[in-house]
Amino acid sequence: MARTHRDRAFASLHHVLDLDWMLEAYRTTRKDGAAGIDGVTAADYAEALEADLLDLLSRIKSGRYRAPPVRRSYIPKADGSQRPLGIPTFEDKVAQRAIVMLLEAIYEQDFLPCSYGFRPGRSAHDAVHNCARRS
């Protein structure tokens, strides 16, 4: 989008978000993660999937959506200490995925091939492998 419409400034992209978009965001969200602070699992959310996604979509578009607090959990480390971990609610994971999909569609094409951070299909391991190959 950004490449083909360089003269435009995107003030709002709510018109892009619709039920199909939210269904795709749901489809690509991991379903096996731990439940957030609300205790709702992916299976629970799927029971009334279309209604839940329409409600989420409405709250996002109206500006009423507020991410709930994350559930704090701790993972033991090899040295005996613990690493804190924040676990968002499943609905927040779907909302995050929908926005990531939207932003990737706009900005992914502008990144250079040598950019690896937080990009789909790329990892830190890919960056290290590329550096090792070039040296």
Side-chain angles (χ1 to χ4, degrees):
M1 276 192 234
R3 183 167 292 162
T4 57
H5 300 289
R6 291 193 183 277
D7 58 321
R8 293 186 187 174
F10 296 107
S12 172
L13 295 167
H14 287 154
H15 63 281
V16 176
L17 300 175
D18 60 12
L19 181 58
D20 288 336
W21 192 275
M22 299 306 289
L23 283 166
E24 181 63 15
Y26 168 81
R27 189 189 67 73
T28 58
T29 299
R30 281 188 50 202
K31 313 289 188 299
D32 59 349
I37 199 165
D38 61 0
V40 176
T41 64
D44 297 334
Y45 198 80
E47 289 177 6
L49 181 60
E50 190 168 318
D52 288 341
L53 290 177
L54 284 171
D55 179 58
L56 175 59
L57 180 61
S58 171
R59 286 181 285 136
I60 289 172
K61 285 187 166 196
S62 69
R64 293 180 295 120
Y65 180 75
R66 297 287 180 259
V70 297
R71 182 169 64 91
R72 179 63 71 195
S73 184
Y74 293 91
I75 298 173
K77 293 171 62 173
D79 67 0
S81 64
Q82 294 188 329
R83 181 172 70 90
L85 182 68
I87 303 168
T89 64
F90 183 76
E91 182 173 71
D92 193 43
K93 292 175 189 178
V94 173
Q96 290 177 29
R97 174 62 50 201
I99 300 307
V100 163
M101 289 168 36
L102 181 61
L103 294 176
E104 281 178 351
I106 295 169
Y107 294 109
E108 180 62 27
Q109 61 199 352
D110 291 336
F111 287 113
L112 297 174
C114 60
S115 174
Y116 287 87
F118 300 100
R119 294 191 50 207
R122 293 172 176 247
S123 70
H125 296 289
D126 295 328
V128 170
H129 177 71
N130 191 24
C131 288
R133 190 181 57 190
R134 290 177 184 247
S135 57

